[in-house]
Every structure is written in structure tokens, then in C-alpha cells.
Amino acid sequence: MVTSRDIAQRAGVSQATVSRVLQGNSRVAPDTRERVLAAMRATDYRPHAAARAMKTRRSQTIGVVIADITNPFYPELLEAVSHALDQSGQRMILWNSAGPGEYSALQAIREGSVDGLLFTTVTEGAAPLTEALVHEEPVVLLHRGLEEAQCDQVVSDNVAGGSIVADYLVRAGHEHIGYLQGPELPSTAVHRERGFRRRLHQLGMDLRPELVGRAGFQHDTARTLIRSMLHEPVPPTAVFCANDLAAFGAIDGARSLGVHVPEDLWVVGYDDIAMAAWDSFNLTSVRQPIADLAHTAVQLLLERITDPDLPVRHELFTNSLTVRGSTAHTPLDPPAEQRDSHADD
Amino acid sequence: MVTSRDIAQRAGVSQATVSRVLQGNSRVAPDTRERVLAAMRATDYRPHAAARAMKTRRSQTIGVVIADITNPFYPELLEAVSHALDQSGQRMILWNSAGPGEYSALQAIREGSVDGLLFTTVTEGAAPLTEALVHEEPVVLLHRGLEEAQCDQVVSDNVAGGSIVADYLVRAGHEHIGYLQGPELPSTAVHRERGFRRRLHQLGMDLRPELVGRAGFQHDTARTLIRSMLHEPVPPTAVFCANDLAAFGAIDGARSLGVHVPEDLWVVGYDDIAMAAWDSFNLTSVRQPIADLAHTAVQLLLERITDPDLPVRHELFTNSLTVRGSTAHTPLDPPAEQRDSHADD
């Protein structure tokens, strides 16, 4: 039987390096890693996982907790995480629920069935996270962050994302702007709203209460809310939705009333998931760099598992606006006449 | 520390029964199960998972392999599986890839990190499945089956589903019918096509080759194919799509050409996922009983893990047609005048 000592000799490295490669430690130099992997392939080396776990105390498995797998943003994020884990030779355990899922995931760390956790749906005051941090368990927050939490976090700049949309809509001349909020707690929802409202305020355009509703990232709730806003005496000419799923609901709600997008109503979403590009939606949306977020989160988690004493890192990625047919203009140069016609509304 | 012996005494059952409840064995009578669980709650009993795994050789974890988590059918199926597993106190490990995922999942059984597997995307000639069966590992095929495979299978009747759609479209008077096929191998795709073609043939209406294309369950491919079919000298007046995602692509393709659904083109999908009901699609679709499929598959797998000698079971569920606005009539009573107007096309 081929042993890790054979692999080390063949690749001309130490046994510790072979074991680091097996652990998916990203601080092995790429060419060293390649040499070790080539030696494994050449000898058909198959470390027995149980023996390996015994030696390294690693399960080579990462837990991921999400809140709602039927929101199509999460399958896209999971696919990206899964791809990044594959590249590091790690498996994924998925818990599809906040709350109980997080507790069950924490238990899995203690039982040694996962080495660390990616929380993608943590919210403020989340007890499981606090518990994980008290026990210094390897946890990385991905997508949703918590400013005060002393743990690695990989998020995109949702405040700036909200701000971009405020700029875009006001520059295009909209004076009656609606907002479909996300849920109350997630940082993504809180930050998008903060950036959007703050920039609107700077531009002298506060949201009217009757044009704000809590869609909670849900298609059906968004659909109901936009239908009610479109029946207001002064309906919105543009609506910003806290995620794409809500934006699809807004488009569906408009469609159900014969209100045309973008002629009568501009719709802007957030996430720019694959479906946003479909003809039925053709949605202008703030794009999150999902692959970069996932890759970095996996990287940080594997480093954290290997070295619990690393300083805490907060990685912030930039978002950008993808303009499509659910709005009528490019963000930086709206035609003056369109601005005027909206000003006459 | 509370032991399983304490629980057994308190609940008035044997220790073996306590252990069966912990294993999620479904053959414990519901009221017995409740009594045991109540005793556990009352004493705050927490079996140490490692010790439990040692005794029972069970990880309380089920592996699920799927091929494409970004096809929205799978998140709905996973949510249902996840719900059924929760109810049995089991965790879920997810592998998001066919082929390598299946091998990695098999390895996980051998390492004892999962007790059994649900394969949702197995295809004919799949080597990992053959390997699992040779080694008598607990595997249940869910959603996609394999007629010749000697293992538990839980699927819906896709042949009958295809047949229902043929009946529906021909009765409504369509003479130019298109078909967007799924991929070549999955049983779901093969059976839907078999049932559709066979019933059309019985009704004297074979598919014209230029109105058949392999969309492979993909939105974008379906969109391209329907656009090309709609440019045929005699375009289709109705198209059946092997899944909902392809049907959304067909609707998007029609929309991109200004072809109206259902006035100019009827579109029928398969699966009836949540998005099918959205205004943008309003899709007539064959409904699979996802919750029943998932619940039964979890049940059979837990039974199989407990008792490897059970006879092999094949469970077949019935599908039904959900009629919405992407077609114009109810299946059983199409108005005669509409049938005539189509016959004049």
C-alpha cells in the first residue's frame, strides 16, 4: 500500500507538506501542490479517510448553512462554494435552515464531522454564532456579515450597491420612487436600504411612506405590494427591490395590471442572478461577484482551520450595476429629454 | 449523565427501542416514538454522537447526490428531502455533481460518514450505482429511476405524464406540435418522450423532425430551439417541453420574437415548480408530487439501512396536469369552436 511517506519521497517534499495538501491548506505553493497531487495520481494513492482524520483530526468536510434554498440566489452561491471546495478536495455538508440548522452545524464541528462552517444567512443577535465564537470554532460569514462579530467575514458592499441605484434613478429623472425592502434583520437587506435611503436623501429625494413595503425577499409579497403601490393616487415610476426574486415579483405584479416595464415603471433588482437576464424579466440589477465571494470564503475558512490564531479578516467586494431592459438608460449618461419627461409626470 | 437506559425506563420501552428511535427507524409505532422523545426532552438527554455512532455504527447522516442545483426543480426536491430528514432526526450531506459526486458519496458510506444515499440524478450505465449495488450499500433512487437496477426506487410515472400532454394537445386541435427533449440519458427525459410520442402516434399524429430539438432541460438551449422552430415554414402551434426550465426558455424565445403565448403558441412544461405559477410564465405543467416522493424515499432509505434484507421496492407516483394561461383550455372539455379554429391552421 502506498503511504504518505512514499508520496513525500516521490514529490521531494516533507510528509507535513503532503498532509497540508490533503487538508487543502492554501498556503502550499501552487507548484509544490501540483507535484504532490501528481505523485498521488501516479501511485493511485488513496488516503484512508478515517486514518487521515485520526492523524490530522480533520474530516475534510465543510458545513454550509443557508436559510432558503428555494431563493435562486442561494443555489448560485452554493454552486460557487461547491466548486471552490472541490478544488480544495473538501466535501460539503449542507444545512438548509437558519436557527436549528446553525445549532446542528455547531454540533457537527464538536463531533468532528465537519472542520469548519460557512454561515451564509446569519442575522444580528444570532445565538449560534455567538456560541461558535465563544468556543473559538472555525466559522466564516459569507454574503451576510455582522459588523460587530469577531470572525472572518466575506461580503460585498451592499451600502454602496444601494447608493448606486439611488444615483441611477434620480439622475434618470424619477421623482416617484418605490422601495421593496428585504427582511428586517439580514445585513444585506439593512445595508442596501441604508445606502439607498442615504443617497436619495443627499439628492433631496426622500422615500414617501406609501411607496415603501417589506417584500422580505419574497416574490409573492413583492407582487402584492407593487400592485397596491400602483393603485396609489401618485404611483411610483420606478421601484428598487432588495433582491432579484422580489424584482421578479414586482415585474409580475405590474404585468398582472397591464402596467408596462419600463415604459410605465422601471424595476431594479439586486444580485443579478442568471434568471435576471431572461427575456421575461430582462432585469437591471446590482451584480454581486458570487464566484469571488465563495472562493475567498473557502480560502479564509481553510486557513482559519489550519491556524486558529490568524488575525480576524473582513473582506469587502465591490458591486456594480448591470443595466437591462427593465429600465431605459445607461447609468452615467441618461438622455436629457427622458429626464424632462419624467419631471413632467 | 442521563443514559439510554434511563430513557428506556422512563418511557417504559426497551433500550433497543430507544436506539431505534435515535436511528429514525420508521417502524417504531408513532405513540411509542412520542413517548421516547418526550422522555428525552424531559431529561435533556443528548446522546453523544460519536459514542452513538460507535454503538450503532450510524452517523445519522444521509448523503444526497444531485446533478444541477441551479435547475430550480432540484432546490424544491432538496427542500422536501431536507424536511423529511429533519422529521427523522437525520442530517444531510449534499454532493452537487453527477459522476465524481457519486463516487465521493460512495466513499463516504465506506468511511461511515453517511449511512446511506439518495441518488436523484442517476443515469443508465452509471458505474457508481453498479458499484454500490455490488457492495450492497444502502441506496435509494429518487426522481430518476433505472428499470433494471435492483434497488429501491421512488419515481413518478413520467410515461403517463407525457401521454397526458399528448392527449391534451391533440384534443385541443393542435396539428403542428413541437417537442423540446430533455437530455439523452435520464429516465425522466426518456420516459416523458416515450409516453408523449407513443400517445401521439396512437392518435395518428407523429412529430415532424424539424419540430423536435434537444433542449436538454436548459433554458437557453430551449430558447434558441423554439426561435428556430418558429421560423419554420409551418411553425408549431404548441410545444411540449421536457421540464419547466425549458418551458420558460420557450416562452422567453417566443416573447423575444413577439409571438404571443397562448394565442400563437401553447407551451406546456413538466414538474410544475413554484415559478410555473408566476404571471410571467403562467405555465401549464405536469405536476410531480415532490413532497410525497421525498418523504417516501427517505422512509425507504432509513428502512433499508436498518434492514438490508428487505425486498427491493419500486414506488411509482401519479402525475397530473396543472392547466394555466400558457395554454387556453382545460384538458377534459376543450370548446369545440377552438378545436375547429386550430384545425383550420
Side-chain angles (χ1 to χ4, degrees):
Chain A
M1 196 189 128
V2 184
T3 67
S4 68
R5 183 192 301 261
D6 303 329
I7 300 299
Q9 281 181 351
R10 195 177 176 108
V13 300
S14 69
Q15 260 183 279
T17 301
V18 172
S19 126
R20 270 196 288 278
V21 169
L22 284 173
Q23 289 157 31
N25 185 324
S26 61
R27 287 183 302 167
V28 177
D31 56 327
T32 306
R33 183 167 182 280
E34 247 326 296
R35 224 161 53 236
V36 171
L37 291 177
M40 290 177 183
R41 275 192 296 269
T43 56
D44 199 30
Y45 172 67
R46 294 186 186 285
H48 185 265
R52 194 176 62 207
M54 199 87 71
K55 260 196 189 157
T56 64
R57 297 170 180 239
R58 300 277 158 72
S59 63
Q60 314 292 317
T61 305
I62 296 302
V64 180
V65 186
I66 68 171
D68 180 10
I69 201 175
T70 61
N71 171 351
F73 171 78
Y74 287 105
E76 290 195 19
L77 184 64
L78 275 181
E79 175 121 307
V81 167
S82 173
H83 184 69
L85 287 173
D86 275 352
Q87 289 185 319
S88 304
Q90 305 285 312
R91 288 194 296 245
M92 177 169 91
I93 299 196
L94 176 69
W95 284 271
N96 178 32
S97 60
E102 285 153 1
Y103 279 111
S104 160
L106 283 180
Q107 205 186 333
I109 290 195
R110 283 160 210 165
E111 294 171 0
S113 52
V114 304
D115 303 330
L117 293 175
L118 293 177
F119 281 1
T120 67
T121 42
V122 78
T123 52
E124 202 156 351
L129 177 65
T130 310
E131 205 182 310
L133 297 182
V134 166
H135 292 94
E136 297 187 333
E137 282 158 335
V139 168
V140 173
L141 305 189
L142 166 59
H143 174 57
R144 291 191 188 168
L146 271 183
E147 274 151 45
E148 72 281 11
Q150 280 303 305
C151 65
D152 299 323
Q153 307 194 19
V154 181
V155 299
S156 69
D157 189 343
N158 289 291
V159 175
S163 178
I164 290 170
V165 177
D167 264 332
Y168 175 60
L169 295 179
V170 173
R171 281 196 193 186
H174 289 283
E175 295 187 334
H176 310 291
I177 297 176
Y179 183 54
L180 294 182
Q181 305 164 292
E184 278 185 53
L185 293 177
S187 67
T188 47
V190 172
H191 290 176
R192 289 166 196 179
E193 178 159 358
R194 186 182 302 163
F196 186 57
R197 282 188 185 271
R198 186 186 292 168
R199 185 67 186 137
L200 281 182
H201 184 74
Q202 287 168 351
L203 296 168
M205 174 99 64
D206 292 311
L207 290 169
R208 299 208 314 268
E210 68 273 22
L211 299 188
V212 175
R214 192 163 296 286
F217 289 160
Q218 299 295 320
H219 174 279
D220 292 357
T221 318
R223 181 181 183 279
T224 304
L225 287 168
I226 196 72
R227 284 169 56 94
S228 128
M229 288 180 193
L230 289 168
H231 284 114
E232 285 289 325
V234 184
T237 60
V239 62
F240 174 36
C241 309
N243 76 344
D244 286 349
L245 199 55
F248 302 149
I251 290 176
D252 277 342
R255 188 162 271 159
S256 74
L257 295 175
V259 170
H260 292 98
V261 175
E263 294 82 351
D264 308 322
L265 180 72
W266 288 25
V267 179
V268 178
Y270 207 110
D271 291 335
D272 198 14
I273 61 178
M275 284 168 55
W278 290 6
D279 301 80
S280 290
F281 306 117
N282 205 0
L283 181 70
T284 292
S285 184
V286 181
R287 181 169 191 79
Q288 292 207 67
I290 291 182
D292 293 343
L293 288 165
H295 188 262
T296 304
V298 165
Q299 197 87 346
L300 294 197
L301 182 56
L302 295 179
E303 290 172 11
R304 172 69 49 202
I305 290 166
T306 309
D307 184 356
D309 299 327
L310 283 173
V312 166
R313 293 151 302 174
H314 286 199
E315 303 282 346
L316 190 67
F317 284 81
T318 303
N319 294 329
S320 57
L321 191 68
T322 302
V323 175
R324 296 200 185 85
S326 71
T327 62
H329 303 290
T330 56
L332 298 178
D333 189 22
E337 63 275 18
Q338 176 69 24
R339 202 162 47 221
D340 292 348
S341 83
H342 270 276
D344 291 341
D345 277 357
Chain B
M1 194 186 129
V2 183
T3 65
S4 66
R5 183 190 303 258
D6 302 330
I7 300 299
Q9 280 181 350
R10 195 178 177 106
V13 300
S14 69
Q15 258 183 281
T17 301
V18 172
S19 128
R20 269 195 289 277
V21 170
L22 285 171
Q23 288 157 34
N25 185 325
S26 61
R27 289 183 302 168
V28 178
D31 58 324
T32 306
R33 184 167 182 277
E34 248 325 296
R35 222 159 57 235
V36 171
L37 291 176
M40 290 177 182
R41 276 191 296 268
T43 55
D44 199 31
Y45 173 66
R46 293 187 187 285
H48 186 265
R52 192 177 60 207
M54 198 89 69
K55 260 195 192 158
T56 64
R57 298 172 179 238
R58 300 277 158 73
S59 62
Q60 315 293 319
T61 306
I62 296 302
V64 180
V65 186
I66 68 169
D68 180 10
I69 201 175
T70 61
N71 170 350
F73 172 77
Y74 286 105
E76 290 194 18
L77 183 64
L78 275 180
E79 175 120 309
V81 168
S82 173
H83 184 70
L85 287 172
D86 275 353
Q87 289 185 320
S88 303
Q90 306 284 311
R91 288 195 296 247
M92 176 169 90
I93 300 196
L94 176 70
W95 285 270
N96 177 30
S97 60
E102 285 154 1
Y103 279 113
S104 160
L106 284 180
Q107 207 186 331
I109 289 195
R110 283 160 210 165
E111 293 171 1
S113 52
V114 303
D115 303 329
L117 294 174
L118 293 177
F119 281 1
T120 67
T121 45
V122 78
T123 52
E124 202 157 350
L129 176 65
T130 310
E131 207 182 308
L133 298 183
V134 166
H135 293 92
E136 297 186 332
E137 281 158 337
V139 168
V140 172
L141 305 190
L142 166 59
H143 174 56
R144 292 189 188 170
L146 271 183
E147 275 152 46
E148 71 282 11
Q150 280 303 305
C151 65
D152 298 325
Q153 307 193 20
V154 181
V155 299
S156 68
D157 190 344
N158 289 291
V159 174
S163 177
I164 290 170
V165 177
D167 265 331
Y168 175 59
L169 295 179
V170 172
R171 281 197 193 185
H174 288 284
E175 296 187 330
H176 309 291
I177 297 176
Y179 183 55
L180 294 181
Q181 305 163 293
E184 279 184 52
L185 293 179
S187 66
T188 45
V190 170
H191 290 176
R192 288 166 196 179
E193 180 162 355
R194 186 182 300 161
F196 187 56
R197 281 187 186 270
R198 187 187 289 166
R199 185 68 187 136
L200 282 181
H201 183 74
Q202 287 168 350
L203 297 168
M205 172 101 62
D206 291 311
L207 290 169
R208 299 208 315 267
E210 68 272 23
L211 298 189
V212 176
R214 192 163 295 287
F217 288 160
Q218 299 294 319
H219 173 279
D220 293 358
T221 318
R223 180 180 183 279
T224 304
L225 287 168
I226 196 72
R227 285 170 55 94
S228 128
M229 287 178 193
L230 290 168
H231 283 114
E232 285 290 325
V234 184
T237 59
V239 63
F240 174 37
C241 309
N243 76 342
D244 286 349
L245 198 56
F248 302 149
I251 290 176
D252 277 343
R255 189 162 267 160
S256 74
L257 294 175
V259 169
H260 293 96
V261 175
E263 295 82 351
D264 308 322
L265 180 71
W266 288 26
V267 178
V268 178
Y270 207 109
D271 290 336
D272 198 15
I273 62 177
M275 286 169 55
W278 290 6
D279 301 82
S280 290
F281 305 118
N282 205 0
L283 182 68
T284 292
S285 185
V286 181
R287 182 167 190 80
Q288 293 205 69
I290 291 182
D292 294 341
L293 287 166
H295 188 262
T296 305
V298 165
Q299 197 87 347
L300 293 198
L301 182 56
L302 295 178
E303 291 173 9
R304 171 69 50 201
I305 291 165
T306 309
D307 184 355
D309 298 324
L310 283 173
V312 167
R313 293 151 301 173
H314 285 200
E315 302 282 348
L316 189 67
F317 284 81
T318 303
N319 294 326
S320 57
L321 191 68
T322 303
V323 175
R324 296 197 185 88
S326 71
T327 62
H329 302 291
T330 57
L332 298 179
D333 190 24
E337 63 276 17
Q338 178 68 24
R339 202 159 50 221
D340 293 347
S341 84
H342 271 277
D344 292 340
D345 275 358

